[in-house]
Amino acid sequence: MLATRDPILGFLPANLVLLLAIVVAVGLFARSAYHLYRLVRLGRPEQRTDHPAERWDAFLRHVLGQGRLLREPAAGLMHALIFWGFLVITVSTAEMLLGGLIPGLTFGPLTANPVYVLLLDLFEVLVLASVLFAFYRRLVVKPSRLSYTGDALLILGLIATLMLTALLANGLRIAYASEPLDPWAPASAALAGALGDLPAPTQLALHKLFWWAHVLTVLGFLAYLPHSKHLHIVTAPFNVWLRSLAPRGQLPYLDVEAALEQDQPLGASQIDHFTWKGLLDTYTCTECGRCQAACPASISGKPLSPKKLILDLKEHLLEEGPARLHGDGEAHPGKQMVGEVITDEVLWDCTTCRACMHECPVFIEHVPKIVDMRRHLVMAESRFEPEVQRLFDNLEASGNPWRLPRMVRGDWAKGLGIPTMAESPEIEYLYWVGCAGSHDERNMKVARAFARLMQQAGVKFAILATEETCTGDPARRAGHEYLFQTLAQQNVETLNRYGVKKVVTACPHCFNSLKNEYPQLGGTYEVIHHSQFLRELVEAGKLAPSKALEGAVAYHDPCYLGRYNEVYDQPRGVLEGIPGLELREVPGCHRDRAMCCGGGGARVFMEEQRGRRINHLRIEQAMAAQPRTIATACPFCIIMLEDGARAKGVYDDVPVADIAELLVRSCDKKS
Ligand code: HEM
Ligand code: SF4
Ligand code: SF4
């Protein structure tokens, strides 16, 4: 290799100098990487290698294909070009290092192949252009979601240096050796042409300079990586491959009694209470802020930023981890993770809407961490606002969040001729009404509308009435795993006693718990959301919406129906099937990117003390579609949106309705 042909300073064998530089850089990298690996091993065990086919599929789509990054076209393409460029260029870099160590060693047919030569040349220019764009984005455009650190600029500078030095070293080598200009390497050929007039000794000296600058930058980059957010280059592919394959709406099961018996933590109060994958997440954060830009708590000015939460946990792991590795974590207590590093306010601000996890290009799992820390607050510390206490007390005392008597749970159905399971145990469908449909005046109307539609369609269904109790969803999301399991077990016993197979419900929270979480407790059913059911009934001709309703309707996607369970088309289908209605999307925030109403994660039962109100913001977003009605398919969204509409003064002109209420008006000849 030309650059390492002659000794340095006339006596130092160049390949020995190179070897020394490689040993130092790889050694520094390996030492830091091993330290980080040991810190990750502090986490609790977790199985994440099942279903390899599904994992490789995600790897292909989201690592090699850069799928989630490309959701944002400009930033995504910028990154994809850098990433794909590195895949191509790394082969040539490895060849450079090997050839520098052992003269004459090359990868032969691979790197001599004209297609590879062209790709290498092209990507060196494209990576350089992408890095210039990244500089422009950071220094001029300045999107608010990014973190503005010296680290980010340093890495961009290093990558630009890598590309420039590679191109210049190559161009000067071609010029010096008077090689024929390769049409497959247009950029290097153009540089060689431009530098061809320099005296040969200068060409050689500059070639050596850029070659060494390139090689030393690569090695410096390697040694620096573990100390930078660019550690993601190494961890992101693993993090994507190791992502959770559990149903999206299923929180991890915690055996509370076993934990108490064995003196195990209830939730997470220390960094090593997370699993090893939870800790790997923290290393992988690229600080892109996509989670924060989608988070309703951050958007409404609350202290919670999902990005900051992950970065704070990383910093805490790096600070506290070493003491725990040496077993003296308890003896030298540093900052409290829950309360100091992550404040109680931050934890309670989360609506568990999953927007953060849906946006994160490297599949970081924020919600389970937040709920794990809430579990500690609730079950170990009993530290929460009085309204959360009230929620738990009410659920325990009467099986609903409002402490209404259990005996009135079926009263909404009085006079409608709906049998109970006790009366008709053989019936095909169980209509799971949920607490809101059973007890909240506004949502009782939805329950009646849906029941009426099922009756019109000739569906044979029954309700549990007084035998139904809250699914436990708000308790689980608020961190009271024990209460969730108590309520859920009670329901599973009831459902299994009746041999229930098919459950239909109008509440996405009940739908999600029954479908995705009850199997953890031995309850497995076919669970159908009313939007799916109604759409099927209309398609099958069992319901015939014929009366025209007027005006534009904006549909609000409930998080637990949309992002958690991917039910987007059916509620829209129901609305589109109603003559006269014009379905409009909430501009920029619909389907998987819809913003939460503010009510998820038990927040509907809590005061919103910080920042702007999320439901007010959501109404403002919906009003941008200029609707006559705002439709949704979730009782808690109805409560939150109606409250928001009242506050924004649009309640009388733009009513909020469930899709069943609109459909029944179109189907019902009498109304
Ligand atoms: C050789 C591999 C890689 C290189 C050289 C690389 C390089 C970079 C650079 C330079 C940035 C900063 C861009 C800026 O200033 O905003 C960045 C950001 C980022 N990287 Fe990578 N990366 C690599 C691999 C990956 C992989 C495999 C993933 C995910 C699967 C990933 C995900 C991200 C994300 C999400 C960002 C933030 C982008 C944004 O602001 O929207 N990177 N990466
Ligand atoms: S789940 Fe929603 S509210 Fe909670 S951190 Fe993520 S985006 Fe924010
Ligand atoms: S958690 Fe994910 S989305 Fe959020 S800043 Fe980190 S990498 Fe980006």
Side-chain angles (χ1 to χ4, degrees), residues 170-487:
N170 209 19
L172 284 155
R173 181 187 48 81
I174 297 170
Y176 173 76
S178 305
E179 289 173 15
L181 296 185
D182 188 346
W184 292 94
S188 303
L191 271 174
L195 301 167
D197 291 340
L198 290 176
T202 312
Q203 287 172 340
L204 180 62
L206 284 177
H207 164 72
K208 284 185 182 174
L209 179 74
F210 289 126
W211 191 94
W212 278 101
H214 182 78
V215 162
L216 292 178
T217 309
V218 169
L219 296 176
F221 194 82
L222 185 69
Y224 178 59
L225 265 191
H227 309 281
S228 136
K229 70 164 184 156
H230 285 77
L231 181 58
H232 82 266
I233 294 178
V234 182
T235 54
F238 290 99
N239 217 56
V240 174
W241 197 88
L242 294 162
R243 81 192 214 285
S244 168
L245 295 181
R248 277 184 295 271
Q250 185 187 81
L251 283 169
Y253 179 82
L254 169 68
D255 190 337
V256 181
E257 274 161 24
L260 283 171
E261 271 167 29
Q262 295 157 20
D263 212 13
Q264 292 290 313
L266 292 171
S269 64
Q270 296 172 10
I271 195 74
D272 50 4
H273 292 164
F274 293 120
T275 67
W276 60 266
K277 172 58 177 58
L279 300 185
L280 182 67
D281 274 357
T282 67
Y283 292 166
T284 310
C285 180
T286 66
E287 303 181 19
C288 71
R290 291 173 190 231
C291 53
Q292 180 183 299
C295 171
S298 304
I299 293 172
S300 59
K302 302 185 187 1
L304 165 62
S305 149
K307 167 168 96 170
K308 188 168 180 305
L309 181 126
I310 296 297
L311 294 174
D312 286 346
L313 289 177
K314 175 184 176 180
E315 198 182 307
H316 185 60
L317 171 62
L318 296 179
E319 273 171 18
E320 291 293 309
R324 287 182 190 277
L325 271 181
H326 301 115
D328 51 1
E330 306 293 338
H332 304 286
K335 270 189 182 174
Q336 293 285 328
M337 182 177 81
V338 178
E340 285 185 280
V341 177
I342 310 293
T343 62
D344 296 15
E345 286 79 19
V346 160
L347 295 175
W348 291 116
D349 277 346
C350 177
T351 70
T352 71
C353 72
R354 202 175 192 276
C356 48
M357 290 179 61
H358 185 71
E359 291 301 330
C360 181
V362 291
F363 289 79
I364 286 169
E365 295 157 21
H366 312 72
V367 180
K369 289 183 190 52
I370 292 173
V371 173
D372 244 359
M373 289 186 273
R374 281 186 177 179
R375 283 177 179 175
H376 168 74
L377 278 179
V378 169
M379 292 188 292
E381 298 272 330
S382 295
R383 205 162 82 212
F384 37 75
E385 295 291 326
E387 66 258 25
V388 179
Q389 180 70 63
R390 227 174 2 254
L391 168 70
F392 295 150
D393 289 348
N394 294 349
L395 289 175
E396 263 174 71
S398 56
N400 68 74
W402 300 286
R403 215 187 186 90
L404 288 155
R406 286 177 196 275
M407 301 99 68
V408 303
R409 197 161 176 118
D411 285 7
W412 67 273
K414 271 194 180 148
L416 297 183
I418 301 171
T420 62
M421 285 303 283
E423 290 159 357
S424 302
E426 298 305 319
I427 225 139
E428 187 178 3
Y429 290 97
L430 167 70
Y431 172 23
W432 183 275
V433 187
C435 297
S438 304
H439 293 297
D440 173 58
E441 287 290 342
R442 173 67 188 85
N443 279 294
M444 284 184 196
K445 292 184 190 161
V446 178
R448 287 191 201 108
F450 179 45
R452 193 185 186 101
L453 285 165
M454 286 196 286
Q455 286 172 330
Q456 280 186 15
V459 176
K460 299 274 172 269
F461 70 97
I463 57 173
L464 282 168
T466 54
E467 287 189 279
E468 187 186 283
T469 191
C470 175
T471 55
D473 160 84
R476 186 170 228 197
R477 265 119 202 118
H480 203 331
E481 179 70 6
Y482 184 74
L483 180 54
F484 161 72
Q485 288 181 17
T486 312
L487 293 165

Side-chain angles (χ1 to χ4, degrees), residues 62 69 79 86 137-138 145 159 230 232 286 288 290 361:
H62 297 293
L69 271 143
H79 187 275
F86 262 65
R137 204 169 67 112
R138 289 190 164 270
R145 67 175 171 84
I159 298 178
H230 285 77
H232 82 266
T286 66
C288 71
R290 291 173 190 231

